[in-house]
Amino acid sequence: MDSFMQAAIEEARQGLAEGGIPIGAVIVHQGRIIGRGHNRRVQKGSAILHGEMDALENAGRQTAAVYREAVLYTTLSPCPMCSGAILLYGIPRVVIGENRTFMGEEELLRSRGVQVDVLQDEQCISLMEQFIADKPELWNEDIGV
Protein backbone atom coordinates (compact mmCIF):
# COMPACT_ATOMS: atom_id res chain seq x y z
CA MET A 1 0.00 0.00 0.00
CA ASP A 2 1.24 3.42 -1.02
CA SER A 3 2.13 5.48 2.07
CA PHE A 4 0.26 8.51 0.69
CA MET A 5 -2.97 6.54 0.19
CA GLN A 6 -2.47 5.12 3.67
CA ALA A 7 -2.28 8.69 5.00
CA ALA A 8 -5.57 9.48 3.21
CA ILE A 9 -7.15 6.38 4.77
CA GLU A 10 -5.94 7.51 8.20
CA GLU A 11 -7.66 10.84 7.57
CA ALA A 12 -10.88 9.01 6.60
CA ARG A 13 -10.74 6.96 9.80
CA GLN A 14 -10.20 10.13 11.83
CA GLY A 15 -13.30 11.66 10.23
CA LEU A 16 -15.35 8.59 11.13
CA ALA A 17 -14.05 8.68 14.72
CA GLU A 18 -15.20 12.32 14.95
CA GLY A 19 -18.72 11.33 13.91
CA GLY A 20 -18.27 12.40 10.30
CA ILE A 21 -18.09 10.81 6.88
CA PRO A 22 -15.04 8.58 6.30
CA ILE A 23 -13.43 10.21 3.29
CA GLY A 24 -9.84 11.43 3.48
CA ALA A 25 -7.35 13.11 1.17
CA VAL A 26 -3.76 14.28 1.04
CA ILE A 27 -1.97 16.57 -1.38
CA VAL A 28 1.60 15.61 -2.20
CA HIS A 29 4.26 17.86 -3.73
CA GLN A 30 7.74 16.57 -4.52
CA GLY A 31 7.25 13.47 -2.38
CA ARG A 32 5.99 15.35 0.69
CA ILE A 33 2.48 15.80 2.07
CA ILE A 34 1.68 19.52 2.00
CA GLY A 35 -2.00 19.24 2.92
CA ARG A 36 -4.17 16.61 4.53
CA GLY A 37 -7.83 16.57 5.38
CA HIS A 38 -11.02 14.63 5.80
CA ASN A 39 -14.70 15.25 5.26
CA ARG A 40 -15.73 17.62 8.05
CA ARG A 41 -19.20 18.69 6.90
CA VAL A 42 -20.80 17.21 10.03
CA GLN A 43 -18.11 18.33 12.46
CA LYS A 44 -18.00 21.94 11.19
CA GLY A 45 -21.58 22.29 9.94
CA SER A 46 -20.01 23.00 6.57
CA ALA A 47 -21.52 22.86 3.10
CA ILE A 48 -18.17 22.36 1.36
CA LEU A 49 -15.62 20.59 3.56
CA HIS A 50 -15.30 17.35 1.65
CA GLY A 51 -12.01 15.51 2.18
CA GLU A 52 -10.35 17.02 -0.89
CA MET A 53 -11.52 20.55 -0.04
CA ASP A 54 -10.28 20.17 3.54
CA ALA A 55 -6.87 19.01 2.29
CA LEU A 56 -6.67 22.00 -0.08
CA GLU A 57 -7.66 24.35 2.73
CA ASN A 58 -5.08 22.83 5.08
CA ALA A 59 -2.36 23.12 2.42
CA GLY A 60 -2.90 26.87 2.54
CA ARG A 61 -2.16 29.23 -0.33
CA GLN A 62 0.19 27.70 -2.86
CA THR A 63 1.59 29.00 -6.11
CA ALA A 64 0.21 27.69 -9.39
CA ALA A 65 3.57 25.96 -9.95
CA VAL A 66 3.13 23.88 -6.79
CA TYR A 67 -0.36 22.75 -7.79
CA ARG A 68 0.85 21.86 -11.29
CA GLU A 69 3.39 19.44 -9.73
CA ALA A 70 1.06 18.02 -7.06
CA VAL A 71 -0.73 14.70 -6.74
CA LEU A 72 -4.02 14.47 -4.87
CA TYR A 73 -4.77 11.19 -3.12
CA THR A 74 -8.38 10.65 -2.09
CA THR A 75 -10.11 7.63 -0.63
CA LEU A 76 -13.23 8.14 -2.79
CA SER A 77 -13.88 9.27 -6.36
CA PRO A 78 -14.13 13.10 -6.34
CA CYS A 79 -17.56 14.73 -6.60
CA PRO A 80 -18.24 17.60 -9.04
CA MET A 81 -17.23 20.25 -6.48
CA CYS A 82 -13.90 18.62 -5.64
CA SER A 83 -13.21 17.81 -9.29
CA GLY A 84 -13.78 21.48 -10.10
CA ALA A 85 -11.18 22.48 -7.52
CA ILE A 86 -8.73 19.95 -8.98
CA LEU A 87 -9.25 21.50 -12.43
CA LEU A 88 -9.18 25.08 -11.13
CA TYR A 89 -5.77 24.60 -9.54
CA GLY A 90 -4.36 22.46 -12.33
CA ILE A 91 -3.54 19.39 -10.24
CA PRO A 92 -2.30 16.94 -12.90
CA ARG A 93 -2.80 13.59 -11.15
CA VAL A 94 -5.41 12.12 -8.82
CA VAL A 95 -5.07 8.74 -7.12
CA ILE A 96 -8.45 7.39 -6.01
CA GLY A 97 -8.89 4.72 -3.36
CA GLU A 98 -12.16 3.44 -4.80
CA ASN A 99 -15.11 4.32 -7.02
CA ARG A 100 -17.43 1.37 -6.39
CA THR A 101 -19.55 3.07 -3.72
CA PHE A 102 -19.57 6.43 -5.54
CA MET A 103 -18.50 7.37 -9.07
CA GLY A 104 -17.44 10.98 -9.21
CA GLU A 105 -16.34 13.10 -12.15
CA GLU A 106 -13.46 10.92 -13.28
CA GLU A 107 -14.36 11.25 -16.97
CA LEU A 108 -14.44 15.05 -16.67
CA LEU A 109 -11.00 15.01 -15.06
CA ARG A 110 -9.61 12.70 -17.76
CA SER A 111 -11.18 14.81 -20.51
CA ARG A 112 -9.25 17.80 -19.16
CA GLY A 113 -5.92 15.95 -19.12
CA VAL A 114 -5.77 14.82 -15.50
CA GLN A 115 -4.18 11.42 -14.92
CA VAL A 116 -6.68 9.42 -12.86
CA ASP A 117 -5.59 6.20 -11.16
CA VAL A 118 -8.17 4.07 -9.34
CA LEU A 119 -6.86 1.50 -6.86
CA GLN A 120 -10.11 -0.24 -5.75
CA ASP A 121 -8.50 -0.52 -2.32
CA GLU A 122 -10.37 -2.91 -0.02
CA GLN A 123 -9.89 -0.67 3.04
CA CYS A 124 -11.49 2.26 1.24
CA ILE A 125 -14.35 0.14 -0.07
CA SER A 126 -15.15 -1.45 3.29
CA LEU A 127 -15.01 1.91 5.12
CA MET A 128 -17.60 3.40 2.75
CA GLU A 129 -19.81 0.32 2.49
CA GLN A 130 -20.05 0.11 6.29
CA PHE A 131 -20.72 3.83 6.62
CA ILE A 132 -23.42 3.84 3.92
CA ALA A 133 -25.09 0.83 5.58
CA ASP A 134 -24.94 2.47 9.03
CA LYS A 135 -25.88 6.05 8.08
CA PRO A 136 -27.60 6.18 4.67
CA GLU A 137 -29.35 9.48 5.42
CA LEU A 138 -26.05 11.22 6.22
CA TRP A 139 -24.43 9.76 3.10
CA ASN A 140 -27.33 10.93 0.92
CA GLU A 141 -27.05 14.42 2.40
CA ASP A 142 -23.34 14.51 1.66
CA ILE A 143 -23.77 13.62 -2.03
CA GLY A 144 -26.84 15.80 -2.50
CA VAL A 145 -29.52 13.11 -2.81
Side-chain angles (χ1 to χ4, degrees):
M1 161 67 58
D2 181 297
S3 65
F4 297 129
M5 182 54 69
Q6 196 58 52
I9 292 168
E10 288 166 15
E11 286 290 329
R13 289 197 171 115
Q14 183 178 339
L16 185 63
E18 294 169 358
I21 298 161
I23 303 167
V26 297
I27 301 167
V28 176
H29 180 253
Q30 296 182 348
R32 184 176 68 84
I33 295 174
I34 61 169
R36 56 174 60 228
H38 52 273
N39 186 305
R40 293 193 301 154
R41 290 184 69 251
V42 172
Q43 299 92 311
K44 295 286 187 179
S46 171
I48 61 167
L49 278 182
H50 282 188
E52 300 92 332
M53 302 299 277
D54 193 39
L56 281 164
E57 180 71 11
N58 291 330
R61 287 177 59 195
Q62 300 292 328
T63 65
V66 168
Y67 292 123
R68 283 195 301 266
E69 295 176 344
V71 180
L72 186 140
Y73 289 77
T74 180
T75 59
L76 187 65
S77 188
C79 76
M81 173 179 66
C82 296
S83 295
I86 290 162
L87 294 175
L88 176 67
Y89 292 109
I91 296 170
R93 182 174 176 228
V94 178
V95 180
I96 297 168
E98 66 102 353
N99 63 10
R100 289 187 196 162
T101 61
F102 177 77
M103 174 58 77
E105 296 295 326
E106 295 175 24
E107 287 309 313
L108 171 64
L109 292 170
R110 287 186 181 103
S111 78
R112 297 283 294 273
V114 177
Q115 178 185 336
V116 177
D117 301 317
V118 182
L119 305 178
Q120 301 301 16
D121 178 80
E122 287 303 323
Q123 293 177 84
C124 295
I125 294 167
S126 64
L127 260 174
M128 285 309 300
E129 284 179 344
Q130 188 64 55
F131 176 78
I132 292 167
D134 291 346
K135 298 191 175 174
E137 69 293 334
L138 187 53
W139 172 238
N140 288 339
E141 174 193 321
D142 194 64
I143 58 171
V145 173

